[in-house]
Amino acid sequence: MLPYVWLVPALPLAGFLVNGLLGRRLGKGVVALVGPGVVGAAFALAVAIFLALLRLPAHERLYELDLFRWIPSGDLQITAGLQVDPLSTVMMLVVTGVGFLIHVYSVGYMREDPAFWRFFAYLNLFTFAMLVLVLANGFALMFVGWEGVGLCSYLLIGFWYEEKINCDAGKKAFVVNRVGDFAFLVGMFLIFERLGTLDFTDAFAAAPERLAMGGAAAFWIALLLFIGATGKSAQLPLHVWLPDAMQGPTPVSALIHAATMVTAGVYMIARAHVLYLLAPAALGIVAVVGALTALFAATIGLVQTDIKRVLAYSTISQLGYMFLGVGVAAFDTGIFHLVTHAFFKALLFLGAGRVIHALPHEQDMRKMGGLKAKLPVTFATMFVATLTISGIPPLAGFFSKDEILWAAWAAGRNALWVIGFVAAGLTALYMFRLLYLTFYGEPRARRLYDHAHEPPASMRIPLIILAVLSAVAGWIGITHAIGNPLGHVPNLLHEWLEPVFAGAEPLRAPATAETASLAAEYGLMAASVAVALLGIGLATYFYRRRPELPARIAATFPAAHRLLERKYYVDEIYGALVVRPYLALCAFCWRIVDEILIDGFVVKAVGGAVGFYSRVVARLQTGLVQNYAAAFFVGVVLLLGWYLLR
Amino acid sequence: MSVAEAIFYLLGGLAIGSAVLAISAPNPVASLLFVVLAFFALAGLFVTLDAHFLAAIQILVYAGAILVLFLFVIMLLNLGSALPREWLAPPPVLILATAAGAAFLLVLFFVGYRGLSVAAPLPGALPAAAPAVSGTTEAVGLALFRDFLLPFEVTSLLLLVAMVGAVVLAKRER
Amino acid sequence: MAAPFPWLSLVLWLPAVGAALVLALPAQAHLAIRRVTLAVTLLGFAFSIPLFTLFRNGVAGMQFEERGDWIPAFGISYHVGIDGISLLLVLLTTLLLPMCVLASWTYITKRVKEFHILLLVLATGMIGVFAALDMFVFYVFWELMLIPMYFLIGIWGGRERIYASVKFFLYTFVGSLLMLVAILVFFFQYRALTGNVSYDLLDWYGVSLPAATQALLFLAFFLAFAIKVPMFPFHTWLPDAHVQAPTAGSVILAAVLLKMGTYGFVRFAMPLFPDATLRFLPWLLALSVIAIVYGAMVATVQPNVKKLVAYSSVSHLGFVTLGLFVLNAQGIQGGVLQMVNHGLSTGALFLLVGMLYERRHTYEIADFGGLARPMPVFATLFMIVTLSSIGLPGLNGFVGEFLVLIGAFRAHPGYAVPATAGVILAAVYMLWMYQRVMFNGVTREENRDVPDLDRRELAILVPIAVLIVWLGVYPKPFLDKIEPAVQTLVERMESAPGFAEAPSARPAALASPGRR
Amino acid sequence: MQDAAAPLALPVPDLAAILPLLALSAAGLLALVADLFARGTTHEDELRGRPLLAFWIAVAGIVGTLLLIGRQATDLGRFGGRSFNGMFVVDGFGLFFDAIFLVGTLLVVLMTVEYARRERFHMGEYYFLLLMATAGMMLMAQSTNLVMIFLGLELLSIAVYVLAGFERGRQRSVEAALKYFLLGAFSTGFFLYGIALLYGATGSMDLAVIAERGGALRPGSPGGGLLLAGLVLLLVGFAFKVAVVPFHMWSPDVYEGAPTVVTAFMAAGVKAGGFAAFVRVFLGTFETHADLWGPLVALLAVATMLVGNLAAIAQSNLKRLLAYSSIAHAGYLLVALIAHNALGASSFLFYLLAYTFMTLGAFGVVIALGRRGEPSDRIEDLAGLGSRHPLLAAAMAVFMFSLAGIPPTAGFVGKFYIFSAAVDAGYAWLAVVMALASVISVYYYLKVTVAMYMWDAPATAGRPAPHGLLLAAVALAVLGVFQMGVYPGPLIDLASRSVGGIVGAGVTALP
Amino acid sequence: MVPVSHYLTLSAILFAVGVLGVLTRRNAIIVFLAVEIMLSAVNLAFVALSRASGNLDGQVMVFFTITVAAAEAAVGLAIIVAMFRRRETVDIASFNVLKG
């Protein structure tokens, strides 16, 4: 089975080619078949590969398929190949699985769109790129997927390209991602320079001996790669593109900007965990940035009114958790949250998409309300997802998020735990706010409300499947603290990923004993559930009981409210500090340096001087014979005199 | 001062004086006559140098034929008086021109006669052993027809060209 | 042994013969002229394919060599030959020529005959530059192609065409003449050292001049090539020339002519003057990096598409020169590959812009907008080319840039990092331009019903798009061709006495411990 | 020298040596006479473009002379050597120059038919003077005595004074003649003075004797100063003739004013003639003093190249532009002279021939542009020539690019040759200056092509319909430019062989 | 015996006077006359140097110079006449149509 792994990315690629080249002529029916079909097939194949891998002994679960020599140049030999191991298999399953559901959902969602074929072409291309990213056998090929998904993100955000705002958002996403990619590239260069290879297996094998533990090289490699990850995964300070990316069609938001692409940074760090373990300082930065992002985004999520923007900030926040997880060296935990988040966040987006679809293109929650009755399935599934994200046991989010917080605590990063803890409460608060504003209360815009209707089945079934997954997916990673009392329920994910991370075990700083006590674990668990409930309670109080209160609070603290509403003015700061100065500098280079300094002072000056002297010389030619004779005579005197002066 | 020297200075002074007057006389006819005078002085100097044939030629051909041609033209064009606006060039031009002329003499002297070195002997001492030559008609004629045969023939072409040229230029337009 | 078939001369002189053919056609027979030219250029491309297929990989040195006396008194011979580097550039030239003919099919309507004759003469000039192995021959071709290009811009160009063409000519000429003097100085130095009289490049490779002489001569060569590339700050002729040139002119200018500068560095300036190259290395690298960043920045604020693409060329060529001057296998290989890449992507960009111009008769970005709706096929191809231009992995631009940067980084991280930032800037200006041209709403009525590409235009663009993907996904065949030539150059540079002590050489402690 | 014992033993003229000269002179006289008899009956014919008898005589004379020269050149063993008491020499160098003069004159003669038809100035005297001037040039090229050089120079000059004023009905023509004459006579004075001083320094006017006696003379030694001053004044005389800055000022005015055919003749022939003697004297006789005159001439060369090219940029009159261009080219030729080695001399010959072709061709095109009464010699008059008369325009473009020194033209190979000589002689800096000057020059050469191809033709401009013979002349020039540009090998060999005896000792010849 | 250098100095002064005449006079005929003074000055130098050199070459040269002067006079005066016919003046300052 394993040798056929190339088919997993190849299928979506084929789908892309078919839809992209012929889609317009094939008609929506065929496209709707091909588009999700190839991803579904890829998913089936991925499952088969998973099973095949499962049959192997744990430590032989690594399959490398070399496809072709891609860039051979001197001592740089880059071979394009696929690497199947437990980690990439998890990612592959998520990408194809969630991807398939979203493809199916999109058939309904995009039905009316004239560029239906184009949408599926992009979506297939995205799936292909994402699979390349997760299956790549080295940094270079990973970068192909890395930028490929970025491209698809760009194309899909600006899918409705006739609106300038969409295109701006797409461009912003691409450019901000490129900033990260820049660091990623430099990191790669440093890896090649230090380790002499970009191949994962070789690089990670060479790293412990070539890179000093905690040394500068390891630190910079890890940090640069992480900056790359902040771009792709919308972490501080490169998070600005993700909220804007909500301009894209909602399935895109679900697939790319929630479930898969944005988690690539987490995957990359997990993949390169060897390097990170060699650079504890960098890993610490990862954790801090993750935690801060989690809190930062959660606070913004409190006041946003656009349903998708709330979800976007929620995504940023949840990604922060994942980074916090990997940042405290709990790589499997980060991946765990990645998986559960993929389910529930995709679900939330799809649900939101249904809401938007139902109220044609209305995303402002202030104009919603009371939709529970109109969209019961949507409401039900979204409710599950909201509970999950809030961390209510035994839903998936509880297990994964709590494990991250525990890992942070266990690693002795108590401050980070506190931040994560607060963010957890805020998460529950803003998610329930969303839920209440959307589905409860009186319809605030009657005209829209009347228009609302349940969409077709193709959009309903993926919701239900995802809701189920959101609920139960946590059980694959039940922490031992819970699993052991329940009769030694195994932490399946942990065990599955164990071979991947085991090799790096010796690099891990030993966990301090006193923080790792079981009692503490239970206590913290309880605390986080409590804070989630508190959040829910507050939300209920503010948005069900006293709906007028939020506005009053906002009026009481106008500065704080405004700060949150304007997203801490990050966009404005970037505009003032980066974008506008940059454009001004560009204009300066053009108008001043190019046109005045180089062309004017040098080129035109030379031309001008030539012209000037040309006229001078010509004017000396007066037409008077005696002047000519005088010049002649002076010439004679000078020539003779020259010998005297010599 | 020997007689020879006296004659030299007399004739030399006459030549320079009449040349200066020639280039400063406003009237072309006067100018021309001063040039004739200068040429006579030169002919005298030729004699002092034993160039008898040339002295004759100088008077017969140069002064007698060529300068008379000038006179014809002056008369023909009725230019027997000064140009309306001219006597001599304006003073600045005059001063500059004189300065340039003086500079020319200076550099010529230093470069040519003194050979960039004050210690160098003057060319007057150069042909110490040179035999005295006498520019008699016979000697010059022999040189012309033997050593300088080709140049002599070329002058025939030259004169023909000049003749044809003068005709072409000066004849009235059709 | 029978003389091998002179493929190279065939490819080289075929266009000139074609020019003579066209000359014989009546001036009014436009269609016949176009068809003959197209046939000749297609044939030229066909004949250049054996160069590729018969080329022996992994063999250092020149192939397809031909040699014959020309001016024996001066040791000048007609000596041509190619290695992997020239091979790719020759192929690029022959490939783009038919496209230029096609692109001019409806674009050029006045003086059709002259146009095609000049195009064909230009072709011979360009191929000659890449094939020449005799310095005199090289110089002759180098200048020869100046004339047709000058006329292409000056006669068929835009409003400011005369200014632009004269500027182009003068700029290039300044550098060229100084180079000529330098060539002569080298010749006499060579004669003094060896007693031989030869302008043969391969002979010249065999001598090493004193460092001071090298420095002076290198500067003369540098000026000629730097202007041609163009490197900052010698670039200001380029935007003018590009904006004014007709499409075919722009394409050839960008795709081939600029490469002559970079090719000149690889073939002549660096191997002939290794010490001087090392001596000036910090300057060369700095200028390259400045070009990358500066070109990108100026491109960002251009209101004119062609000017934008022109400045983007400055930036892209900065990558090429950076790659060449880092003096390691990756850098040079990347630089050479990037020459080809830039030829394809920027050539294609100019073709695309030309097609827009034919429809809308403007180059102002503000006059476009929303064209993706009426022109979906165009938009797709434009997008592919745009992405290639900004170096998206999987397309050709990435491979070259990646190699350049990785090579640069291992040699000079301080230069590589700002150069890498060029990757960001490229995305900024290209995507912004693309958005304003193709996306956003239609703001002008004229843009609403712009016709999409026709078959002729597709025939031009699709092969380029295919190559863009091919080179991005599987560049190995091309890299293999370049490899021995690059290896030779690298060894030559490393064996230069100054290599170890050069201010730029890597400290030993940082040398790559990789698979070297 | 004088042997009184044999007063009547006149030397037997070595007629074989001067046979080409005699033939040419005879043709000139014949043309003069033929015209006398033919005038009146055929005058209307030549107005219709049917050339006069004098024309055919001139052509035959030139071609015949060329053949005679060829015969001498192929058998230098028999014809070579000095004759007429050392006045005249037959050597490769002189013959090469003769060939240049004759080719140039032939082209001018061919061009004249068109000009004469239009401007109605066809007459036998014209051909006579033209051939006499050519004879003067040949004398200059083959003389080895300053007397002969002087007489050749005067023969040439006087004929050209007349030719410049040949259109005496046009004020410009006469003004040109007057300016040329006055300044020419003025410079003759200096030239003569120079000869006198050299004579004083060495006691002879024979170049060989001067070289022998003067070789060791240096400033400071007896006669050294005279020699130096004489050398400088001689230089001035030549510099005037070939229009070197600052003795060039006559040439733009005269070139502009003179009839275009005569301008062409002056630009090519007179300059070449002046240079012939210039090179023979300075490379042959005074090669030993190159350390003295070299730097000075280098200075003049720099000034000439810069001033010529700079002034040309400001011109709007084509003839004037070409005049300045030809000044600049004199500067380039000086660079070859300064190199004072075999390479320099041969490059000089090569470049001069190239220059003859390209500059005559350019003037030919200018002639073709004109219409009766309208000289049409402004740059604007070229507007749209590319579409009005593509062949003529293409030819003009070729000449311009050749003058600018762009391959594959004669001008390029010539410049390359001169650069080689300069670099070989250690004058690389001069080559650089020349290169920069060439860049300046490109600007105005391009201006001409711009006008022809990039300006629209004015509505009034018609298609020029030049006489076939003019076109033939232009075509010949194009052919020459390409022949020397594409396959220069044989000519380079010929030039290298021709300078064998001319350059002084101690010169490395190119292997 | 007067040394040759005296003659040479005299000749130089006369030459300079002739040059001065060319530079300062506007009457074309007088300018031409000044040129004749220059030529004569050179003639004097030739004759003097002929004596100094002990051969007749210098004197023969003077013969040729006079011939040339005659030829030049013929042509030059013809040109002046032609010019006068068109402009009714011999003021060379007025002959400046050609310039620049």
Side-chain angles (χ1 to χ4, degrees), chain A residues 157 241-249 253 257 308-309 312 349 363:
Chain A
I157 294 169
W241 64 272
L242 187 58
D244 288 13
M246 296 302 130
Q247 295 299 335
S253 307
H257 304 121
K308 285 181 73 179
R309 278 185 182 256
F349 267 114
Q363 303 186 186

Side-chain angles (χ1 to χ4, degrees), chain A residues 223-454:
Chain A
L223 187 69
L224 286 165
L225 291 182
F226 172 61
I227 295 174
T230 58
K232 193 104 300 182
S233 299
Q235 295 298 289
L236 283 176
L238 297 181
H239 65 283
V240 289
W241 64 272
L242 187 58
D244 288 13
M246 296 302 130
Q247 295 299 335
T250 307
V252 172
S253 307
L255 178 61
I256 300 182
H257 304 121
T260 54
M261 181 187 89
V262 289
T263 63
V266 182
Y267 166 73
M268 189 269 292
I269 290 181
R271 174 57 74 201
H273 62 277
V274 176
L275 301 175
Y276 278 89
L277 288 174
L278 286 167
L283 205 53
I285 293 176
V286 174
V288 170
V289 169
L292 287 178
T293 306
L295 180 66
F296 169 86
T299 55
I300 298 175
L302 287 175
V303 298
Q304 295 300 311
T305 52
D306 183 312
I307 185 168
K308 285 181 73 179
R309 278 185 182 256
V310 174
L311 291 176
Y313 281 104
S314 160
T315 304
I316 296 173
S317 179
Q318 296 299 312
L319 288 166
Y321 276 112
M322 295 176 212
F323 279 99
L324 175 59
V326 294
V328 295
F331 301 108
D332 52 347
T333 313
I335 296 297
F336 182 28
H337 194 57
L338 186 160
V339 174
T340 57
H341 175 259
F343 296 145
F344 64 69
K345 188 52 65 64
L347 172 53
L348 283 169
F349 267 114
L350 294 185
R354 281 191 61 183
V355 171
I356 295 164
H357 197 260
L359 318 167
H361 306 295
E362 183 52 65
Q363 303 186 186
D364 191 337
M365 293 191 295
R366 288 170 301 190
K367 294 186 182 160
M368 298 175 183
L371 288 171
K372 188 166 69 168
K374 282 264 188 173
L375 308 169
V377 179
T378 311
F379 167 70
T381 51
M382 276 188 83
F383 186 73
V384 171
T386 306
L387 283 178
T388 307
I389 192 176
S390 302
I392 303 300
L395 303 177
F398 163 73
F399 292 102
S400 55
K401 181 156 71 183
D402 208 64
E403 207 174 316
I404 287 172
L405 288 175
W406 165 243
W409 182 273
R413 315 292 290 267
N414 300 0
L416 297 182
W417 179 86
V418 172
I419 295 174
F421 174 75
V422 174
L426 293 176
T427 304
L429 176 55
Y430 69 69
M431 281 314 298
F432 271 87
R433 167 176 175 265
L434 180 149
L435 199 70
Y436 289 140
L437 284 178
T438 309
F439 292 104
Y440 288 84
E442 289 302 306
R444 283 180 289 278
R446 177 60 66 178
R447 196 178 47 79
L448 291 175
Y449 179 82
D450 290 342
H451 189 272
H453 57 278
E454 274 287 359

Side-chain angles (χ1 to χ4, degrees), chain D residues 147 150 154 158 169 171-172 174-175 178-179 181 186 190 192-193 196 199-200 203 205 253 315 320 324, chain E residues 11-12 15 32 38 46 49-50 55 57-58 61 65 68 72 75-76 83 86-87 95-100:
Chain D
V147 176
F150 173 66
E154 284 303 315
I158 291 176
Q171 192 198 329
R172 286 162 174 267
V174 183
E175 183 177 326
L178 182 65
K179 283 180 171 174
F181 167 73
F186 187 60
F190 288 89
L192 259 183
Y193 208 158
Y199 173 60
M205 285 178 283
D253 289 8
Q315 302 309 321
R320 212 173 172 82
Y324 281 113
Chain E
S11 131
F15 190 87
F32 193 10
M38 288 164 64
F46 266 117
L49 290 166
S50 169
N55 61 40
D57 293 8
M61 185 67 186
T65 310
V68 166
E72 280 196 346
V75 169
M83 195 70 207
R86 299 211 62 82
R87 299 291 306 272
F95 305 149
N96 64 346
V97 176
L98 303 165
K99 63 183 168 194

Side-chain angles (χ1 to χ4, degrees), chain C residues 45 92 95-100 102-103 247 251 255 340-352 355 381-382 384-386 388-389 395-397 456-472:
Chain C
F45 179 61
L92 179 69
L95 169 75
L96 285 172
L97 277 168
M99 295 175 181
C100 288
L102 282 172
T247 299
V251 172
V340 179
N341 293 336
H342 176 263
L344 289 173
S345 61
T346 306
L349 276 175
F350 279 118
L351 287 167
L352 288 158
M355 291 168 190
L381 287 162
F382 195 5
I384 292 173
V385 174
T386 301
S388 154
S389 177
L395 301 180
N396 60 348
R456 174 180 60 87
E457 289 165 325
L458 277 176
I460 300 171
L461 292 174
V462 168
I464 298 186
V466 169
L467 274 171
I468 282 175
V469 176
W470 180 14
L471 273 165

Side-chain angles (χ1 to χ4, degrees), chain A residues 150-194:
Chain A
L151 165 70
C152 296
S153 160
Y154 163 77
L155 291 171
L156 284 163
I157 294 169
F159 183 76
W160 290 307
Y161 54 76
E162 285 172 0
E163 297 296 324
K164 182 170 180 297
I165 186 168
N166 300 350
C167 304
D168 287 342
K171 190 177 73 218
K172 185 175 178 183
F174 198 93
V175 172
V176 174
N177 264 297
R178 271 260 156 153
V179 175
D181 295 352
F182 154 71
F184 192 106
L185 270 175
V186 177
M188 256 200 288
F189 300 156
L190 200 53
I191 291 172
F192 173 67
E193 206 243 346
R194 288 309 158 116

